[in-house]
Amino acid sequence: MSTVPGTPRTKTGFTPATPTTTRLAGSHALQASPHYTTTRRHSLYGTEDRVVIDPGSRVWKVGFSGEGKPRDVFYADAKNYGSLWSWSRATDPAEKAEQDNMLAINLERCMRSVFHESLLAEPKARKVILVEHPLMPLYIKDMLAHILFSNLQVPSISFASSHLLSLLSVGRITGLVLDCGHLESTALPIFAARPLFPQLRTTPLAGSRFSSHIRALLLLFGSYLPPPATLSAAVNVPAANRTTRVPQEILTDAVIEDIKTRCCFVSDALESSLSDVRASSPAGDDPSDHEPPPSSDPAMSESEFSRGSLGQESAAESEFSIISHPTHPTTGGEARNENHLQVLANMYIRHSTATDLHMRVVPPVSQQAGTGRGTLIIPGWVRERAAEVLFEGGDVDESSVAEVILDALLKVPVDLRKTMASSILITGGTAMLPGFIPRLHTELLRATALLNISSTRSRPTYDRYASLRPLVPHFAILNNPAPVPSSSARANVNAGKAPAFTPATMAWVGGSLAGALKTGGVEVAREKWDESDPSQTDQDEDVVMVLPTSEHVPRNVIPDWTRGPLPAGAPPAVALKPPPSPQAVGA
């Protein structure tokens, strides 16, 4: 298996050449260019087809409107596979200015690559549809607009919400969209093509936390075979004698991305396996051997462990020990004496059917003198259960992906809850994990119906989702590949009926559809952008207004829902009494 994943450039079957038409011999009929799968004629230098750009923090998707898939998909940082930006900024002014300058340079590089390498299009003749995240910082949108208007000189930019475009791609205008991306997972209700931004809910449990959790699990439970020093040692020395702990140097972002995209998957909820074990176990077995550790255990959870492992300098500093692959399950008394993560690992090993994978990786610098490459052994249960960190709820600040959906449902009006619950759409790159969407549907049912793993657990005193329990039969995910039959006719009609677009490209497909229909979000023309320049020169008075360079203020023409006026509320239920007339006062 390759150690460094290639840049994810999709091969669409056609080249980005200038569209032409050919005339059939002996016929007056015109057929479409072989570079396109449609029969629509394209102008040579016109702006009929807009450029649709979905700029993610790690992966960009670009193409022309009217097409069913992007022309190109690439990493923004193809060398280190890192994020261009994060939700936190430096507090020091000098450091903040340096970060903004580096971000502007990287964004300009990516934008020039879009037009000059991916699309081979003239930016001055193409309108742009920019797919924006609802919580994208305003200074980043201002940088993107500045690059497109000032450097590339595009005619106009249309800003469109990624959640709304994802819903349009499946032919809906009302629903609840969950975007599980790299930095965070965001749930946004949409009614009649109008995003309900005040009801937006978010959680940091997303692709970034998933990657750090995989790295932490491999440091503790993975194995590494260094390359043998000589060819004779490769034959004479057994592999078991050469197995060591996984060094941090080999777990680069590229290797973690390769493991995440090619090796990991999401399995079913664990309580089904536990019930099967109890049913198939003989009467003499102790059922406590198969029970998970109690939720009140003071040891750190998987989510806390993955957060704390980010600052570790080396694997040797960890307080947890490597788990040896046992040949038989341990007893309940021994498991209670082990560490919390040790108990979880033993439980996952017992109920995992996934096989271990061997991956060839570049050895550390200290082992470069060996022959060949090292081998990273990925346990099967890590591949299967690493995504459990995304479904681990109960934290006030870090809700699970299922709790984010339920929290958004609690915020919408009561008469819209059934409609939203039966029209859930899952998008984002993290949602492309095999088994993610069916598992999310199961977690929704567990959270609302209080399906505990162990029947001995008592019902909590405060049930935050009690008001959503009547909606359990109506839960339906539009793009669920394996929908479960329900007693609700509405859920059966909607579940799994979305077109088979990949969750990662739904927002781009919606932008392509919006561009073909000549619709979209707020359109900002280049003339309007130039007029809003804060450093304008008054020709009559020769007065130049220049803003201080220490603080960059975004222009007011950039749409931002966070600073817009709130709509007027409903009229009061009790009618106000009219003021008394002057005649009545005089009488």
Side-chain angles (χ1 to χ4, degrees):
M1 183 179 295
S2 176
T3 58
V4 180
T7 303
R9 298 182 178 272
T10 57
K11 304 301 181 181
T12 57
F14 50 82
T15 58
T18 303
T20 58
T21 57
T22 57
R23 186 177 296 273
L24 296 177
S27 174
H28 299 286
L30 291 176
Q31 75 175 21
S33 168
H35 300 289
Y36 292 85
T37 57
T38 62
T39 58
R40 183 163 55 90
R41 297 187 60 180
H42 298 259
S43 58
L44 187 59
Y45 295 107
T47 58
E48 178 185 0
D49 295 328
R50 304 187 180 188
V51 173
V52 183
I53 303 177
D54 185 3
S57 60
R58 293 183 70 249
V59 180
W60 285 39
K61 295 168 280 291
V62 298
F64 292 107
S65 62
E67 298 179 354
K69 52 186 176 181
R71 287 287 187 97
D72 197 5
V73 180
F74 61 91
Y75 284 104
D77 187 3
K79 182 178 181 181
N80 300 322
Y81 295 89
S83 300
L84 289 184
W85 64 80
S86 62
W87 297 138
S88 60
R89 299 180 70 184
T91 57
D92 183 60
E95 187 177 356
K96 181 190 297 185
E98 183 179 358
Q99 289 182 357
D100 293 347
N101 291 336
M102 291 301 301
L103 177 60
I105 293 174
N106 292 328
L107 290 178
E108 182 178 355
R109 173 182 52 82
C110 292
M111 281 296 179
R112 291 189 179 276
S113 175
V114 167
F115 286 95
H116 300 156
E117 297 179 9
S118 300
L119 303 182
L120 300 180
E122 175 62 33
K124 296 181 180 180
R126 295 286 183 175
K127 295 183 178 180
V128 175
I129 295 180
L130 199 62
V131 181
E132 61 167 349
H133 191 274
L135 296 179
M136 178 181 288
L138 189 59
Y139 76 96
I140 297 181
K141 292 195 292 185
D142 186 77
M143 286 183 183
L144 294 173
H146 178 77
I147 294 171
L148 290 172
F149 281 130
S150 302
N151 296 349
L152 300 176
Q153 298 181 0
V154 299
S156 67
I157 303 176
S158 298
F159 295 88
S161 174
S162 59
H163 291 70
L164 177 58
L165 294 180
S166 300
L167 199 60
L168 292 179
S169 66
V170 299
R172 305 296 180 103
I173 60 175
T174 299
L176 179 60
V177 183
L178 173 67
D179 184 4
C180 192
H182 178 68
L183 295 179
E184 62 182 355
S185 300
T186 307
L188 177 64
I190 299 175
F191 178 74
R194 289 173 174 83
L196 305 180
F197 290 114
Q199 281 75 40
L200 182 143
R201 289 296 175 267
T202 181
T203 178
L205 297 183
S208 177
R209 180 62 58 80
F210 181 42
S211 299
S212 63
H213 193 59
I214 292 177
R215 178 181 281 106
L217 290 178
L218 290 178
L219 288 175
L220 292 182
F221 309 121
S223 303
Y224 175 69
L225 293 176
T230 60
L231 295 178
S232 59
V235 179
N236 299 328
V237 180
N241 297 338
R242 294 189 291 114
T243 303
T244 62
R245 305 188 68 158
V246 178
Q248 276 193 340
E249 293 82 359
I250 67 173
L251 296 181
T252 61
D253 292 339
V255 173
I256 294 298
E257 183 70 14
D258 197 10
I259 295 174
K260 183 173 66 173
T261 55
R262 301 177 60 183
C263 303
C264 294
F265 63 97
V266 182
S267 184
D268 296 334
L270 196 58
E271 74 274 8
S272 59
S273 301
L274 292 174
S275 60
D276 296 341
V277 170
R278 292 191 186 99
S280 59
S281 59
D285 290 351
D286 186 6
S288 61
D289 295 351
H290 308 288
E291 291 183 0
S295 58
S296 59
D297 187 58
M300 65 171 58
S301 62
E302 289 187 78
S303 179
E304 295 172 345
F305 164 67
S306 61
R307 286 201 308 271
S309 62
L310 295 177
Q312 290 181 351
E313 295 296 330
S314 62
E317 296 177 1
S318 175
E319 60 178 339
F320 307 105
S321 58
I322 291 183
I323 288 187
S324 58
H325 300 279
T327 56
H328 60 278
T330 57
T331 61
E334 296 174 350
R336 293 187 184 93
N337 296 330
E338 294 174 344
N339 190 273
H340 178 71
L341 291 178
Q342 185 86 17
V343 177
L344 283 176
N346 288 338
M347 179 180 61
Y348 290 154
I349 290 173
R350 287 195 297 265
H351 303 102
S352 176
T353 58
T355 58
D356 298 351
L357 291 183
H358 294 246
M359 174 183 292
R360 296 290 183 180
V361 294
V362 178
V365 180
S366 59
Q367 301 176 359
Q368 294 289 346
T371 58
R373 294 189 172 187
T375 302
L376 175 63
I377 302 177
I378 308 172
W381 70 269
V382 172
R383 298 171 47 225
E384 182 179 0
R385 295 296 175 180
E388 294 293 324
V389 66
L390 303 177
F391 304 100
E392 180 183 334
D395 195 335
V396 177
D397 297 328
E398 296 185 354
S399 303
S400 66
V401 289
E403 291 177 348
V404 166
I405 295 178
L406 299 177
D407 292 340
L409 286 175
L410 288 176
K411 293 298 181 180
V412 300
V414 178
D415 54 346
L416 294 181
R417 290 180 180 178
K418 182 183 295 186
T419 304
M420 296 293 177
S422 60
S423 302
I424 301 176
L425 183 65
I426 311 300
T427 66
T430 307
M432 293 185 64
L433 286 171
F436 180 88
I437 297 179
R439 173 65 184 277
L440 180 58
H441 184 265
T442 303
E443 293 295 329
L444 290 174
L445 300 181
R446 291 180 58 194
T448 52
L450 290 178
L451 299 178
N452 293 325
I453 297 179
S454 176
S455 59
T456 59
R457 296 186 184 180
S458 59
R459 184 182 296 269
T461 306
Y462 171 68
D463 185 7
R464 56 190 298 191
Y465 302 124
S467 59
L468 299 180
R469 193 162 296 114
L471 300 177
V472 170
H474 304 284
F475 279 118
I477 300 179
L478 298 177
N479 55 340
N480 190 352
V484 180
S486 175
S487 59
S488 173
R490 184 196 298 261
N492 293 329
V493 170
N494 293 339
K497 297 302 188 295
F501 295 119
T502 58
T505 60
M506 280 188 175
W508 187 94
V509 172
S512 175
L513 178 62
L517 297 177
K518 302 299 184 292
T519 60
V522 180
E523 184 173 0
V524 180
R526 189 170 60 190
E527 294 78 7
K528 191 175 181 181
W529 171 267
D530 295 336
E531 293 174 357
S532 64
D533 191 356
S535 58
Q536 293 182 357
T537 301
D538 193 342
Q539 299 296 336
D540 297 335
E541 302 179 359
D542 295 334
V543 177
V544 180
M545 300 176 57
V546 181
L547 290 179
T549 57
S550 59
E551 184 68 20
H552 177 73
V553 179
R555 306 192 188 187
N556 294 329
V557 295
I558 302 298
D560 182 24
W561 64 271
T562 60
R563 64 185 180 187
L566 294 177
V574 180
L576 299 178
K577 296 182 180 180
S581 59
Q583 294 80 3
V585 173

